[in-house]
């Protein structure tokens, strides 16, 4: 859900009265509309990465309901110090997912130093056990992919398996990232439910979820077309609450690792169907 194709490209060298209602929505299996802000810091980087420092901010806004569809607005801005120059990257995306109809729309724009690197948009739909893609930008193109989960559908699956105590499962995901023309094999590992520590419960930035139990989750993404040993191209780890809110991110791109601390959380509704 927090994938950042632009960050990977740069490494390659291309540059709370709602509490009760929200609790009920979580028990019913719904995802709560919210806006989360994360401060991003560099945890470690290999010499090969060419990165000496990195910091940034990620804003994730999730709205809608399971019956009306979910809209996600995502923005990830980073300031990268290579030792010789400072680069500012800006990835922006907007998606809409209709769970009932099995349809998904996506728009992604990425910039480096205010210059556009990529502009991708299109639509995807579940049809007869396949995912049919209609790309609009950068050029009209139609293609067919293997059966895949869309992002909100996959998040509901993660929460469902976590409730059942299923610690390991695989899924293919299409999220419209990169060039919008491929899906990714994923392996998800879910740890046992944990109660917050005293410091976590006292963290005011997490608002109404501060005192709630969570699952530690790790999702590894694989490119099945890669040659040799199948290693993840990207891994994200986070603490996941039953209503879909996440905190304490770790984003592992191989040559460098970022951390994301939740600094502001705003609930935008209950997520109930009306």
């Amino acid at each position: 859900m927090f994938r950042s194709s632009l960050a990977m490209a740069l490494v390659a060298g291309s540059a709370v009265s709602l509490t009760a209602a929200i609790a009920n929505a979580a028990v019913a299996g719904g995802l709560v509309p919210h806006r989360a802000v994360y401060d991003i810091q560099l945890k470690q980087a290999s010499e090969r990465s060419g990165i000496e420092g990195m910091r940034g901010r990620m804003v994730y806004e999730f709205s809608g309901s399971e019956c009306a569809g979910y809209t996600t607005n995502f923005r990830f801005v980073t300031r990268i110090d290579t030792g010789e120059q400072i680069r500012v990257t800006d990835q922006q995306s907007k998606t809409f997912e209709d769970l009932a109809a099995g349809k998904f729309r996506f728009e992604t724009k990425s910039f480096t130093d205010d210059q556009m690197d990529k502009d991708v948009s299109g639509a995807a739909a579940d049809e007869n056990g396949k995912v049919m893609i209609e790309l609009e930008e950068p050029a009209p193109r139609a293609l067919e992919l293997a059966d895949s989960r869309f992002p909100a559908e996959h998040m509901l699956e993660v929460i469902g398996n976590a409730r059942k105590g299923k610690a390991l499962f695989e899924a293919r995901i299409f999220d419209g990232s990169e060039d919008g023309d491929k899906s990714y094999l994923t392996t998800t590992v879910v740890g046992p439910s944990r109660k917050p520590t005293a410091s976590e419960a006292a963290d005011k930035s997490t608002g109404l979820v501060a005192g709630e139990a969570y699952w530690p989750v790790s999702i590894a993404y694989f490119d099945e077309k890669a040659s040799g040993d199948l290693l993840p191209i990207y891994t994200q780890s986070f603490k996941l609450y039953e209503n879909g809110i996440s905190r304490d991110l770790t984003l592992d791109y191989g040559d460098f690792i970022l951390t994301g601390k939740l600094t502001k959380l705003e609930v935008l509704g209950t997520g109930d169907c009306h």
Side-chain angles (χ1 to χ4, degrees):
M1 63 187 284
F2 299 108
R3 283 170 45 72
S4 174
S5 57
L6 178 57
M8 287 188 286
L10 285 171
V11 171
S14 65
V16 247
S17 59
L18 293 172
T19 303
I22 290 167
N24 291 336
V27 170
L31 301 175
V32 171
H34 65 282
R35 184 177 187 268
V37 179
Y38 303 87
D39 279 352
I40 304 299
Q41 299 287 339
L42 179 67
K43 182 178 181 180
Q44 66 183 64
S46 68
E47 186 175 346
R48 185 174 63 177
S49 73
I51 296 173
E52 293 193 1
M54 185 186 301
R55 59 183 175 84
R57 177 161 291 181
M58 179 189 296
V59 180
Y60 177 82
E61 185 173 295
F62 182 82
S63 61
S65 66
E66 190 167 348
C67 52
Y70 292 113
T71 297
T72 301
N73 284 285
F74 173 86
R75 189 172 185 184
F76 186 19
V77 178
T78 58
R79 185 177 185 272
I80 302 171
D81 183 356
T82 67
E84 298 179 353
Q85 60 179 327
I86 302 295
R87 286 181 172 177
V88 177
T89 70
D90 184 355
Q91 178 172 325
Q92 305 169 20
S93 70
K94 181 177 182 178
T95 66
F96 175 75
E97 182 174 341
D98 187 333
L99 290 172
K103 295 184 177 181
F104 181 70
R105 285 199 57 84
F106 55 94
E107 303 172 21
T108 299
K109 291 180 171 63
S110 59
F111 304 83
T112 301
D113 297 332
D114 294 326
Q115 299 298 312
M116 182 178 288
D117 298 312
K118 189 173 292 187
D119 184 0
V120 177
S121 64
D126 289 327
E127 292 184 14
N128 301 318
K130 302 285 186 179
V131 174
M132 310 304 294
I133 311 293
E134 292 287 342
L135 284 172
E136 299 164 1
E137 295 288 348
R141 181 160 62 106
L143 61 148
E144 179 183 294
L145 300 178
D147 186 29
S148 305
R149 307 282 195 276
F150 297 136
E153 179 185 13
H154 182 250
M155 179 55 68
L156 287 167
E157 183 179 38
V158 171
I159 294 171
N161 283 325
R163 286 177 177 144
K164 297 174 186 175
K166 188 173 183 179
L168 178 67
F169 58 96
E170 297 180 344
R172 187 185 299 272
I173 297 177
F174 177 82
D175 58 10
S177 61
E178 296 290 335
D179 296 318
D181 60 357
K182 68 168 66 174
S183 56
Y184 295 88
L185 295 174
T186 67
T187 297
T188 300
V189 178
V190 181
S193 178
R194 297 181 183 177
K195 293 183 179 180
T197 63
S199 60
E200 288 174 334
D203 186 352
K204 295 182 179 180
S205 65
T206 57
L208 57 88
V209 298
E212 301 297 320
Y214 59 82
W215 296 286
V217 175
S218 179
I219 304 175
Y221 292 75
F222 299 86
D223 182 354
E224 61 184 330
K225 295 182 180 179
S227 58
D229 294 335
L230 196 59
L231 298 175
I233 57 174
Y234 167 75
T235 302
Q236 61 181 14
S237 303
F238 48 92
K239 295 173 181 175
L240 175 64
Y241 294 91
E242 196 170 24
N243 54 18
I245 294 172
S246 299
R247 64 177 291 184
D248 295 349
L249 316 177
T250 299
L251 311 176
D252 187 344
Y253 295 94
D255 284 340
F256 67 97
I257 300 174
L258 304 177
T259 59
K261 176 179 173 54
L262 179 61
T263 57
K264 185 177 181 180
L265 176 64
E266 179 183 1
V267 174
L268 304 177
T270 65
D272 291 339
C273 288
H274 298 287

